[in-house]
Amino acid sequence: MRLFKPYLLIFIVVLVFFYPVILQGKLPIPSDALVGLYHPWRDLYAEEYPRGMPFKNFLITDPVRQIIPWRKLAIEQVKESGKPGWNPYSFSGTPLDANNQAAPYYFLNILFFVFSFENAWTLLIILQPILAGVFMYLFLFNRKLSIPAALLGSISFAFSGFMVSWLEWGTIGHALLWLPLILYAIDKISYHSSAFYSWILLFSLISSLTAGHIQTAFYVILFSLFYSIYKLRRISFIVMIFCTVGIFSYILLQPFIANFFYATRIYDNDAWQKEGWFVPVVHLVQFFAPDFFGNPATGNYWGVWNYAELTGYIGVVSMIFAIAAIGYTRKWSIALLGILLLMVQNPISMLPYWFHIPVVSVLQPTRLMGIAGFVFCVLAAYGFDYFLRTIRFPKKSILLSGLIYTGLWVYAAVAGNDVAIRNLIFPTGIFIITVMFIYFRKYVPAIIFVIILSLDILRFAWKFTPFTDPSLFFPMSNSIEFLKQDPDIFRIASVDDRLMPPSVEVYYGLESIAGYDPVNSADYERFIAVMQMGPEVTPPYGFNRIIQPKNITSPLFHLLNVKYVLSLDEVKNPGFEKVFEEGSTKIYINENNLSRAYFVSNVVVKRRDDILSSLSDPKNVAYTEEDVGVHNGQPAGSVIISQYNNNSITLKTDTDREGFLFLSQIFHPGWRAYIDGSQVKIYRTNYIFSGIVVPAGAHTIGLEYN
């Protein structure tokens, strides 16, 4: 029983944090931000909340704008066909199997096969601090640290700033939580060769890779590689393990890897010069006072964007002991120094960006905050263990921490910054109480320090994390219901950033020309840039991960098969008629909408770079990059889409002669076309779309994504 008590305590701390879920039936999902910030959900609740529904944290919108819709679609496709395929709902169509953040192969997805989506997602979020705490305790206790010390480090890690800030994403923290289990397995293997722990190591590495955030997983694997070299010194074994991980990674992530090199982000060579790309040195004070610069949940954040990237708080108690450990745990101290050096801007950390090293030069070093927080927690456990064994007063640590708090108070007072002053009171109070207990160390049980830490770090986590009523989880508004009732195949466009934010439509099964993804097609981005600003536009286009086209008068707009335009203002352009209204949300039908598939009169061969400036008559003329062998003249006949789903489309054609069928379907090498069962070539058409040569007569055309 004594063996399980530490794990029970970790479990209790997690349950206390999630009391709104357990006792009040709420969800650890920031649904309040979706319905509070955006239409048409604001319209749905306008009678009860005429100024908009209150929401806790404006910073946390990506879980409902990206991660949850992607995961839902991925799970549905895996249930249906065993693997993810095509996402027709964003960017006019994009490969879902190339979306690592959808995490289709993460083993904890088994939850979604057992429970409803909302309950499975809730369990996934709750499991993050549980697994992080348990794995960290295993690692620290295995290194012969005392139970209280291991508990201190594990609770600090489970609710550290990085883990809390990204908790409701359900991806980034899951990629990081495997790190202590990986190091635990390496430690075990270093004592004696064991197939069991080798499998644990392999499983943990792959779990990190498939958890849904490739950058965090990359840092985890890199840190693990250096640790294994230091601990094992068996090059053949290390090569075998990490090569196996590499093979598995390539198999599972091959679509992502292929798509990544065609994405805009790989060519964004100037992003590292923007403020907030590196961790500003002054923001390191958030290790001592997490809300010194305010907090987005209270609407008073005044630091560098954004809060979630820059807070590494591990609790005041843990920070005191972490600093105390720096003097005598050399390897962990060196590791921390190296990570901090790569996080903040300096000549060493800027080298990959100066030389444009592939892949590495597009990774934002603020995400190293997770690894830094982990190392700080390890140091805290060592420092606390040393304190418990020697009962020595950590003078240098307390002096340094005291000087930092004093400096922060002086700065806040001189600047007259009320936000900083208010947010210094609590951590300073915890610091004073901790110092008092350290001074009277002979009379204070070790568990008291763990309790103080837990109260401190849970308060920090509660302040930032929203819990919402289940009724707010992607509610169905009248506008969305209207769009879903149309049996036609079409896309929508929103011309207002406050209305139907990109990628949310994925959850509702509505196809959109907009999208929100850090890895998106460079070709699609250029197409939209030309549509928005004209053919003379040059990169960078300024979309910054979010593409939401608004130029409804461009001929390129009609190529996108947009049937409905959503707006908060009146649309007075000819060819658009209002067909539905809900509160401030107005829906217009595009009378010039071109269908998803149609035959064109002429096919013109042009250089790829010249096509976008030539698309003035897309209804009659299609442009290809090679000769398709079709004579000019539109065939008489019909084309009907008889079957349509995410990964396959079936069309029936009946024409009097051979013709060229234009498809408003994004061209991608994963698509295959078949006419009456025989494969035919898909031509890249009109820069980003598809085209097929169809013989005369009645035919069945099948398109499949694989």
Side-chain angles (χ1 to χ4, degrees), residues 80 86 88-89 511 643-650 671 703:
E80 181 181 338
W86 187 255
Y89 307 113
E511 297 187 33
Q643 180 266 333
Y644 183 87
N645 62 35
N646 295 339
N647 299 314
S648 65
I649 304 170
T650 303
W671 282 98
L703 288 148

Side-chain angles (χ1 to χ4, degrees), residues 280-507:
V281 174
V282 294
H283 274 265
L284 295 179
V285 303
Q286 288 182 262
F287 280 109
F288 296 87
D291 295 337
F292 180 79
F293 297 98
N295 191 301
T298 50
N300 57 11
Y301 183 68
W302 57 278
V304 173
W305 182 265
N306 76 37
Y307 180 93
E309 301 277 2
L310 304 175
T311 182
Y313 193 61
I314 63 169
V316 174
V317 176
S318 292
M319 200 64 197
I320 291 172
F321 289 114
I323 295 172
I326 289 176
Y328 63 90
T329 51
R330 183 177 301 175
K331 59 180 179 293
W332 290 104
S333 302
I334 293 172
L336 178 64
L337 178 63
I339 294 164
L340 292 176
L341 198 62
L342 294 174
M343 282 168 47
V344 301
Q345 191 166 4
N346 60 77
I348 294 176
S349 63
M350 290 191 291
L351 284 175
Y353 307 98
W354 279 336
F355 292 103
H356 304 301
I357 297 176
V359 181
V360 179
S361 62
V362 300
L363 301 181
Q364 189 167 347
T366 55
R367 300 293 167 84
L368 280 165
M369 187 65 77
I371 306 295
F374 169 79
V375 176
F376 264 125
C377 291
V378 172
L379 286 168
Y382 271 100
F384 191 44
D385 182 73
Y386 181 77
F387 167 73
L388 294 177
R389 285 189 291 105
T390 63
I391 315 296
R392 289 185 179 178
F393 191 79
K395 295 180 182 178
K396 293 181 180 179
S397 174
I398 290 174
L399 178 62
L400 178 59
S401 300
L403 287 173
I404 290 173
Y405 282 114
T406 301
L408 293 176
W409 273 104
V410 170
Y411 172 83
V414 171
N417 192 316
D418 292 337
V419 172
I421 291 172
R422 285 198 306 272
N423 289 328
L424 275 172
I425 294 172
F426 189 83
T428 305
I430 294 292
F431 171 73
I432 293 170
I433 291 171
T434 304
V435 172
M436 289 174 58
F437 283 157
I438 290 174
Y439 185 79
F440 295 105
R441 53 201 175 278
K442 293 181 180 179
Y443 311 103
V444 180
I447 194 65
I448 294 297
F449 291 95
V450 178
I451 292 173
I452 294 173
L453 166 76
S454 300
L455 294 174
D456 175 17
I457 210 157
L458 286 182
R459 174 189 175 273
F460 157 72
W462 276 322
K463 184 176 181 179
F464 185 83
T465 307
F467 296 94
T468 58
D469 190 275
S471 65
L472 303 182
F473 184 76
F474 293 92
M476 182 68 70
S477 77
N478 295 328
S479 302
I480 296 172
E481 187 68 36
F482 170 81
L483 294 170
K484 287 185 67 64
Q485 285 176 351
D486 189 332
D488 199 4
I489 296 168
F490 61 88
R491 298 190 180 103
I492 63 172
S494 171
V495 294
D496 196 300
D497 294 338
R498 300 166 293 173
L499 174 60
M500 189 66 78
S503 291
V504 175
E505 69 280 344
V506 175
Y507 190 90

Side-chain angles (χ1 to χ4, degrees), residues 611-633:
I611 289 177
L612 286 177
S613 60
S614 306
L615 288 169
S616 58
D617 185 20
K619 185 176 182 179
N620 298 302
V621 182
Y623 294 92
T624 60
E625 298 166 38
E626 57 183 303
D627 186 7
V628 301
V630 175
H631 299 293
N632 289 337

Side-chain angles (χ1 to χ4, degrees), residues 572-639:
K572 299 179 181 179
N573 304 75
F576 294 91
E577 180 185 353
K578 187 192 297 183
V579 291
F580 192 84
E581 189 167 2
E582 178 187 15
S584 300
T585 299
K586 302 168 182 64
I587 300 179
Y588 293 81
I589 192 167
N590 177 15
E591 296 173 345
N592 297 314
N593 168 46
L594 297 176
S595 62
R596 187 64 59 94
Y598 57 89
F599 285 99
V600 294
S601 303
N602 301 300
V603 182
V604 178
V605 179
K606 270 193 178 284
R607 288 177 61 251
R608 180 165 176 73
D609 291 341
D610 298 331
I611 289 177
L612 286 177
S613 60
S614 306
L615 288 169
S616 58
D617 185 20
K619 185 176 182 179
N620 298 302
V621 182
Y623 294 92
T624 60
E625 298 166 38
E626 57 183 303
D627 186 7
V628 301
V630 175
H631 299 293
N632 289 337
Q634 190 169 355
S638 62
V639 53

Side-chain angles (χ1 to χ4, degrees), residues 140-273:
L140 295 173
F141 188 68
N142 182 64
R143 298 187 67 82
K144 311 304 181 187
L145 298 183
S146 64
I147 290 176
L151 272 174
L152 188 88
S154 60
I155 294 172
S156 294
F157 178 60
F159 292 98
S160 60
F162 186 88
M163 296 295 264
V164 166
S165 296
W166 302 103
L167 173 66
E168 296 196 348
W169 268 251
T171 54
I172 299 177
H174 275 267
L176 180 62
L177 67 83
W178 296 99
L179 179 57
L181 187 62
I182 292 168
L183 304 190
Y184 168 75
I186 292 171
D187 281 348
K188 285 291 188 181
I189 294 167
S190 71
Y191 302 146
H192 51 83
S193 296
S194 169
F196 174 76
Y197 290 109
S198 297
W199 282 110
I200 292 291
L201 174 59
L202 191 61
F203 174 77
S204 303
L205 287 165
I206 293 174
S207 294
S208 179
L209 268 168
T210 56
H213 198 260
I214 198 70
Q215 182 178 351
T216 303
F218 173 75
Y219 292 146
V220 166
I221 291 172
L222 197 61
F223 190 90
S224 303
L225 177 61
F226 283 118
Y227 188 83
S228 63
I229 292 171
Y230 171 79
K231 287 290 293 186
L232 300 179
R233 298 183 180 137
R234 289 153 51 192
I235 300 302
S236 58
F237 176 82
I238 294 170
V239 170
M240 179 189 71
I241 287 290
F242 284 90
C243 282
T244 303
V245 171
I247 292 169
F248 269 97
S249 303
Y250 183 77
I251 293 171
L252 296 178
L253 304 177
Q254 191 274 335
F256 167 78
I257 295 168
N259 196 60
F260 183 77
F261 287 97
Y262 290 98
T264 302
R265 187 169 183 177
I266 196 72
Y267 305 107
D268 189 2
N269 295 321
D270 297 323
W272 65 278
Q273 299 181 34

